[in-house]
Amino acid sequence: MADGMKFPTSLGTSTADEIRLLGQDLTADLMGKVGFGELAFWLVTLRRPTPSETRVFEAVLVALADHGFTPTAIAARVTYLSAPDSLQGALAAGLLGGGSRFLGVTEDCGMFLHEALDGRDLPTDDTGWDALALEVVSAARESGKYLPGLGHPVHKVLDPRTPVLIGIAREEGLEGPHLQLFQAIGRVHEQVLGRKLPLNGAGVCGAALADLGLPVEMLRGFALLARAAGLLGQLAEERRRPIGMDIYSTIDRNAVYVDPES
Amino acid sequence: MADGMKFPTSLGTSTADEIRLLGQDLTADLMGKVGFGELAFWLVTLRRPTPSETRVFEAVLVALADHGFTPTAIAARVTYLSAPDSLQGALAAGLLGGGSRFLGVTEDCGMFLHEALDGRDLPTDDTGWDALALEVVSAARESGKYLPGLGHPVHKVLDPRTPVLIGIAREEGLEGPHLQLFQAIGRVHEQVLGRKLPLNGAGVCGAALADLGLPVEMLRGFALLARAAGLLGQLAEERRRPIGMDIYSTIDRNAVYVDPES
Amino acid sequence: MADGMKFPTSLGTSTADEIRLLGQDLTADLMGKVGFGELAFWLVTLRRPTPSETRVFEAVLVALADHGFTPTAIAARVTYLSAPDSLQGALAAGLLGGGSRFLGVTEDCGMFLHEALDGRDLPTDDTGWDALALEVVSAARESGKYLPGLGHPVHKVLDPRTPVLIGIAREEGLEGPHLQLFQAIGRVHEQVLGRKLPLNGAGVCGAALADLGLPVEMLRGFALLARAAGLLGQLAEERRRPIGMDIYSTIDRNAVYVDPES
Amino acid sequence: MADGMKFPTSLGTSTADEIRLLGQDLTADLMGKVGFGELAFWLVTLRRPTPSETRVFEAVLVALADHGFTPTAIAARVTYLSAPDSLQGALAAGLLGGGSRFLGVTEDCGMFLHEALDGRDLPTDDTGWDALALEVVSAARESGKYLPGLGHPVHKVLDPRTPVLIGIAREEGLEGPHLQLFQAIGRVHEQVLGRKLPLNGAGVCGAALADLGLPVEMLRGFALLARAAGLLGQLAEERRRPIGMDIYSTIDRNAVYVDPES
């Protein structure tokens, strides 16, 4: 009953004098003392990340924040054009494109690697990783499963984000099994697939987030958080130099009516 | 024409070899080198904030990230219950509550102070600020306008975020005219309104963001970004220890049918 | 208290044996006996519309359902491209564009006419309506207020929906004061504004809905309901013959990077 | 190229003189002549439904429009409380709950039946349908697949919508293979599952929509359209007699802080 029903939480609560968040006093312990990326990590995992973890985590958020005129940016801009009174609506419209196809690769890749590693003894050298990767790629191919994190429409040879993010994780001592397996897939997949594809940026971000111990079912959420910042940038730019009307008229003016009977 | 139509942007673009963002090389200049809060500020303003500005900015984001079981958290949780396949939908549903009434105070307050200061010579001491505040509060009262940033349903005497955020801004040398005027309003409003109300946390956040030079029409956007992190925390908690069904059944079980004719 | 808190409603409730809606037995009184448009009207007003009211109401919904590649359709299509797993997300993204600028005219016009008529003795002939219209248009012009329902980017001389909807309302005996005043504005505005503009379709829909006695603050809602049907059509077409990727690549390929410093 | 790129559609287009929709002249052929439910069917299928099809279709929409204080209604109401300036946001927040778990049953059931029937010779009598149903239920059970359309939390013995909708479809000569198989599942599932469950209303709606020849991948869309009308009713009621604040305070006041370390 409503009647005695209680709703437990470890996030925010407050009394007349104090505001608590994550077991901390918000004003004494958090404001001015914890960064925003750090807090986002903490809110999801209930543990404060180390400075090294924060650096890798923020590098991922920076990598995913904005990729130009993606479907998410287009949706946000034309929604803002149409309903400028509701910034939250334009932002929400953009985020709704963060689904399986575009922003989903980060989560798919983290989850794929996570499942591939589940219950395994981890290899101790590159030869071992390559053998495991070969097994994983072959199994995916046989079962007709899609192999996330490979290939990119623009960066056909090398996605520049991939080596940079791996380098940052290595510097911070956070190059774990997901990144190891991902790199091994990069080395061996050609033997199975018959062609060489680059390891893409969305994929390496998923591997790095999984190595940080973040829950793989929530990885899409971090991509969405990163994109929220990017979409604010898009909407601020739409205010300064609007292109929403040009997007709309470019599409509308080139509409061709096709008789449904034909 | 589509036909030659071009879409300018200073945010993300890419070629086969390079990814550019904000006039920088994403991988060489940004990843691992800029924090996430810093990047969000930069994306909106097109200028990189100083470390002091970043600290104040992130303190605001931290203050606004999560306020417990607000309407935004409730909407996100029951949407996740109902459509667990779409994390983006649950996040978007939560953000859609970031409108005029709850998250809007930050923007309203920043905008109110901004307009009050517009075109004025700035006072040079507290006496001057108090005189200006008295004028502003009286004008708002006479025109029946709502005075944003005053009062709080829980923190009836003092909102603990207010002195802490002002202190951080002062430490960083970023206590500007918006914070000055806001504090003066705190000192003088009782003379006009006949009762003493605390300066609330949402309001002081708006004043601090405006002092950072952020565009006042976008302040709601920063509250939404902060809340996006908080909502991820809520949704991660909903996965670990679900309460969505309890929320639903608490309301549904206590529904009372009222005949529309009555 | 939760603790005894009750939530009254005149909409849906159910017991083990019966489902009630709007004071009716859903299965015995409504299913198969009431049309969908009729029910939508009833849900908002708590009264069942007459057949004449239903005809005018549905004519409005039909008029507003789809206007081709509008911002709402574009947002829905690119969101579906990006997140095909979430039809509800694509629909929601489309509806979020139903704000002040595009779909808002229907509500704005109904509300404008409603306020103009409020507390007035109604004229009894065209001369009287013209005099009132002249007063209303002059007052709007003087106060710099925007006059909703006038002008259209494509239908520069006559919006074909306007005479047709007025004709349907007249046939059904439902041409009330809002439609009268709207037509009078069509006759006299040139005297004040110095140029002749057509009464547009969105505007006449708002006038007709207001004459049906629908609450003017909810008129946007009916435009959204109509558009929900149109967006389902857009999304079904996107499944059959996708253009989302062409929209995306048309914009993205024509992006031009502008240095933020410049 | 944008550069010659064309965007085909059979939905809305317009010239200065004429507005076309679905191969019709909007004003001459549709307004006042086609009902709103009829148009929604037509927009998705590109064919005008018969009066019998329209009656069954609208009976489904009526059945699905509102189920009281569901997660969708709760999300819409608290979002409206929080952002009353954006009716579209509150509506969108409600629709975002139309996912796999609540509104999804209609689509799941239609799709399940559709796949079960695919490529089969259809039985000609009840004995034949029962045999097919037994096979289908057994196969689902063996593969651990969920069987949609069975059981209901409130209507534990009989969902009153089920016989009524089947009756309407029968009256209109539209009781096709999906409804036949669904009823046979109702007769035989106890033999396999060991307990008798009612055929639920969401499931029978999916079967009836599939029998109308509607694309099964779009069935969720019709549930969303129906719910859009119900949510407008909820929001109109929220304006008249608000409960959003009571929902919020019921949850918030009963929050219990749990130390994350514990």
Side-chain angles (χ1 to χ4, degrees):
Chain A
M1 272 153 295
D3 335 290
M5 180 70 85
K6 293 294 172 192
F7 302 100
T9 183
S10 299
L11 305 178
T13 54
S14 58
T15 61
D17 303 322
E18 199 197 33
I19 303 178
R20 292 198 71 75
L21 183 63
L22 293 162
Q24 313 294 314
D25 178 319
L26 174 73
T27 53
D29 303 333
L30 300 177
M31 285 172 65
K33 293 178 180 157
V34 60
F36 179 57
E38 205 177 347
L39 182 75
F41 187 114
W42 197 344
L43 281 163
V44 171
T45 60
L46 301 189
R47 73 173 181 83
R48 184 173 189 166
T50 66
S52 284
E53 288 172 327
T54 300
R55 183 163 174 250
V56 174
F57 181 63
E58 295 203 301
V60 169
L61 295 182
V62 167
L64 296 175
D66 183 74
H67 296 166
F69 295 137
T70 55
T72 60
I74 293 169
R77 292 222 187 204
V78 297
T79 301
Y80 190 71
L81 164 72
S82 192
D85 44 317
S86 171
L87 190 69
Q88 71 269 27
L91 180 61
L95 292 175
L96 287 169
S100 57
R101 204 151 155 196
F102 277 66
L103 282 185
V105 175
T106 296
E107 177 165 300
D108 292 345
C109 191
M111 219 178 258
F112 177 85
L113 297 168
H114 190 76
E115 285 168 14
L117 290 166
D118 192 42
R120 297 257 185 189
D121 289 329
L122 297 185
T124 52
D125 59 15
D126 275 7
T127 315
W129 283 110
D130 285 3
L132 175 54
L134 209 51
E135 189 190 324
V136 162
V137 174
S138 302
R141 192 197 175 90
E142 265 159 51
S143 61
K145 251 173 81 178
Y146 136 79
L147 204 66
L150 283 180
H152 194 280
V154 173
H155 311 295
K156 290 179 197 295
V157 178
L158 177 79
D159 187 323
R161 290 165 293 196
T162 305
V164 169
L165 188 59
I166 293 168
I168 293 168
R170 194 171 294 157
E171 274 170 41
E172 302 296 340
L174 289 163
E175 186 190 13
H178 300 86
L179 280 169
Q180 291 281 11
L181 178 56
F182 191 56
Q183 291 172 80
I185 290 173
R187 290 188 298 267
V188 309
H189 71 271
E190 191 177 6
Q191 296 174 46
V192 182
L193 306 183
R195 58 185 180 138
K196 179 101 181 154
L197 294 164
L199 293 172
N200 63 42
V204 77
C205 286
L209 292 175
D211 270 346
L212 292 174
L214 295 165
V216 287
E217 311 80 10
M218 290 295 295
L219 296 191
R220 184 185 296 191
F222 299 111
L224 291 165
L225 177 63
R227 190 51 53 95
L231 288 169
L232 285 187
Q234 292 280 341
L235 292 167
E237 189 171 85
E238 182 67 20
R239 285 186 63 88
R240 279 194 308 272
R241 187 167 43 194
I243 61 162
M245 187 57 89
D246 285 345
I247 294 175
Y248 164 38
S249 69
T250 294
I251 309 308
D252 189 47
R253 201 179 31 225
N254 288 290
V256 180
Y257 190 70
V258 178
D259 198 291
E261 312 285 316
S262 71
Chain B
M1 274 153 294
D3 336 296
M5 181 69 85
K6 294 294 172 192
F7 303 99
T9 184
S10 299
L11 305 178
T13 54
S14 58
T15 61
D17 303 322
E18 199 197 33
I19 304 178
R20 294 196 70 75
L21 183 64
L22 292 162
Q24 313 295 313
D25 178 319
L26 173 73
T27 53
D29 304 332
L30 300 177
M31 286 171 66
K33 293 178 181 156
V34 61
F36 179 56
E38 206 178 344
L39 182 74
F41 187 115
W42 197 343
L43 281 162
V44 170
T45 60
L46 301 189
R47 74 174 181 82
R48 183 173 191 166
T50 65
S52 284
E53 288 172 326
T54 300
R55 184 164 172 249
V56 174
F57 182 63
E58 295 203 300
V60 169
L61 296 182
V62 167
L64 296 175
D66 183 74
H67 296 165
F69 296 138
T70 55
T72 61
I74 293 170
R77 292 220 186 205
V78 297
T79 301
Y80 190 70
L81 164 72
S82 192
D85 44 313
S86 171
L87 190 69
Q88 72 271 22
L91 180 62
L95 293 176
L96 287 169
S100 55
R101 204 151 154 196
F102 277 67
L103 282 185
V105 175
T106 296
E107 178 165 300
D108 291 345
C109 190
M111 219 177 259
F112 176 85
L113 297 168
H114 190 76
E115 285 168 14
L117 291 164
D118 193 43
R120 296 257 184 188
D121 288 329
L122 298 184
T124 52
D125 58 15
D126 275 6
T127 314
W129 282 111
D130 286 4
L132 175 52
L134 209 50
E135 186 190 326
V136 162
V137 174
S138 303
R141 192 197 176 90
E142 265 159 51
S143 60
K145 250 175 83 178
Y146 136 81
L147 204 66
L150 282 181
H152 193 278
V154 174
H155 311 295
K156 290 180 197 292
V157 179
L158 178 79
D159 186 322
R161 292 165 292 198
T162 305
V164 170
L165 188 60
I166 293 169
I168 293 168
R170 195 171 295 157
E171 274 170 43
E172 301 297 340
L174 289 163
E175 186 191 13
H178 300 86
L179 281 169
Q180 292 281 11
L181 177 56
F182 191 57
Q183 291 172 83
I185 289 174
R187 291 188 297 266
V188 308
H189 71 270
E190 192 178 4
Q191 296 174 45
V192 182
L193 306 184
R195 57 183 181 139
K196 178 104 180 151
L197 294 164
L199 294 173
N200 63 41
V204 76
C205 286
L209 292 176
D211 269 346
L212 292 173
L214 294 165
V216 287
E217 310 81 8
M218 291 295 295
L219 296 191
R220 183 185 298 191
F222 298 112
L224 291 165
L225 177 64
R227 190 50 54 95
L231 289 169
L232 285 186
Q234 293 280 343
L235 292 167
E237 190 171 84
E238 182 67 21
R239 287 186 61 88
R240 280 194 309 272
R241 187 167 44 196
I243 60 161
M245 185 57 87
D246 285 345
I247 294 174
Y248 165 38
S249 70
T250 293
I251 309 308
D252 189 46
R253 201 179 32 226
N254 288 290
V256 180
Y257 190 71
V258 179
D259 197 290
E261 311 287 316
S262 69
Chain C
M1 274 153 293
D3 335 297
M5 181 69 86
K6 295 294 171 191
F7 302 100
T9 184
S10 299
L11 305 179
T13 54
S14 58
T15 62
D17 304 321
E18 200 197 32
I19 303 177
R20 293 196 70 75
L21 184 64
L22 292 163
Q24 313 294 315
D25 178 320
L26 173 74
T27 53
D29 304 332
L30 300 177
M31 286 172 66
K33 293 178 181 156
V34 61
F36 179 57
E38 206 177 345
L39 183 74
F41 187 114
W42 197 345
L43 282 162
V44 170
T45 60
L46 301 189
R47 72 172 182 84
R48 183 172 191 167
T50 65
S52 283
E53 287 172 328
T54 300
R55 183 162 173 250
V56 173
F57 181 62
E58 296 204 301
V60 168
L61 296 183
V62 167
L64 296 175
D66 183 74
H67 298 165
F69 295 138
T70 54
T72 62
I74 294 169
R77 292 219 186 206
V78 297
T79 301
Y80 190 71
L81 165 73
S82 192
D85 44 314
S86 172
L87 190 69
Q88 71 272 24
L91 180 61
L95 292 176
L96 287 168
S100 57
R101 203 153 154 195
F102 277 68
L103 281 185
V105 175
T106 296
E107 178 165 300
D108 292 345
C109 190
M111 219 178 261
F112 176 84
L113 297 169
H114 190 76
E115 285 168 14
L117 290 166
D118 193 41
R120 294 260 185 189
D121 289 328
L122 298 184
T124 52
D125 58 15
D126 275 8
T127 313
W129 283 110
D130 284 5
L132 176 54
L134 209 50
E135 187 190 326
V136 162
V137 174
S138 302
R141 193 198 175 90
E142 265 158 51
S143 61
K145 251 173 83 178
Y146 135 80
L147 204 66
L150 282 181
H152 193 280
V154 174
H155 311 295
K156 291 179 196 293
V157 178
L158 177 79
D159 186 323
R161 291 165 292 198
T162 304
V164 169
L165 188 60
I166 293 168
I168 292 168
R170 195 171 294 157
E171 272 170 43
E172 302 296 340
L174 290 163
E175 187 191 14
H178 301 85
L179 280 169
Q180 292 282 11
L181 177 57
F182 191 56
Q183 291 172 80
I185 290 174
R187 289 189 298 267
V188 308
H189 71 271
E190 193 178 5
Q191 296 174 45
V192 182
L193 307 183
R195 59 184 179 139
K196 177 102 181 153
L197 293 165
L199 295 172
N200 64 40
V204 76
C205 286
L209 292 175
D211 270 345
L212 292 173
L214 294 165
V216 289
E217 310 80 9
M218 291 295 295
L219 296 191
R220 184 186 296 191
F222 299 111
L224 291 165
L225 177 62
R227 190 49 57 93
L231 288 169
L232 285 187
Q234 293 280 342
L235 292 167
E237 189 170 85
E238 183 67 21
R239 286 186 62 88
R240 278 194 309 270
R241 187 166 46 196
I243 61 163
M245 186 57 88
D246 285 345
I247 294 175
Y248 165 37
S249 70
T250 294
I251 308 308
D252 189 46
R253 201 179 32 226
N254 288 291
V256 181
Y257 190 71
V258 179
D259 197 291
E261 312 285 317
S262 69
Chain D
M1 270 154 297
D3 337 292
M5 181 69 85
K6 293 295 171 191
F7 302 99
T9 184
S10 299
L11 304 178
T13 53
S14 58
T15 61
D17 304 322
E18 199 197 33
I19 303 178
R20 293 197 71 75
L21 183 63
L22 292 162
Q24 313 294 314
D25 179 318
L26 173 73
T27 53
D29 303 333
L30 300 177
M31 285 172 66
K33 293 179 180 156
V34 60
F36 180 56
E38 204 178 346
L39 182 75
F41 187 115
W42 196 345
L43 281 162
V44 171
T45 61
L46 301 189
R47 73 173 181 84
R48 183 173 190 167
T50 65
S52 284
E53 288 172 327
T54 299
R55 183 162 173 251
V56 173
F57 181 63
E58 295 203 302
V60 169
L61 296 183
V62 167
L64 297 174
D66 183 73
H67 296 166
F69 294 138
T70 56
T72 60
I74 294 169
R77 291 221 188 203
V78 296
T79 302
Y80 190 71
L81 164 72
S82 192
D85 45 313
S86 170
L87 189 70
Q88 70 271 24
L91 180 62
L95 292 175
L96 287 169
S100 56
R101 206 154 153 193
F102 277 67
L103 282 184
V105 175
T106 296
E107 178 165 300
D108 291 345
C109 190
M111 219 178 259
F112 176 85
L113 297 168
H114 189 77
E115 284 168 15
L117 291 165
D118 192 41
R120 295 259 185 186
D121 288 331
L122 298 184
T124 53
D125 58 15
D126 274 7
T127 314
W129 282 110
D130 284 4
L132 175 53
L134 209 51
E135 189 189 325
V136 161
V137 174
S138 303
R141 193 198 174 90
E142 265 158 49
S143 61
K145 251 174 80 179
Y146 136 79
L147 205 65
L150 283 179
H152 194 279
V154 173
H155 311 296
K156 290 180 196 293
V157 179
L158 178 79
D159 187 323
R161 292 165 291 198
T162 305
V164 169
L165 187 60
I166 293 169
I168 293 168
R170 196 171 294 156
E171 274 170 41
E172 302 296 340
L174 289 164
E175 186 190 13
H178 301 86
L179 280 170
Q180 292 281 10
L181 178 56
F182 191 57
Q183 291 173 81
I185 289 173
R187 289 188 300 266
V188 308
H189 72 271
E190 192 178 5
Q191 296 174 46
V192 182
L193 306 183
R195 57 183 181 139
K196 178 103 181 153
L197 294 165
L199 295 173
N200 63 41
V204 75
C205 286
L209 292 176
D211 270 346
L212 292 174
L214 294 165
V216 288
E217 309 83 8
M218 291 295 295
L219 296 191
R220 183 184 297 191
F222 298 111
L224 292 165
L225 177 63
R227 192 49 55 93
L231 289 169
L232 286 187
Q234 293 280 342
L235 293 167
E237 190 171 83
E238 183 67 21
R239 286 186 63 88
R240 278 194 309 272
R241 187 166 44 195
I243 61 163
M245 186 56 88
D246 285 345
I247 294 175
Y248 164 40
S249 70
T250 293
I251 308 309
D252 190 46
R253 201 179 33 225
N254 288 291
V256 180
Y257 190 71
V258 179
D259 197 290
E261 311 286 316
S262 71

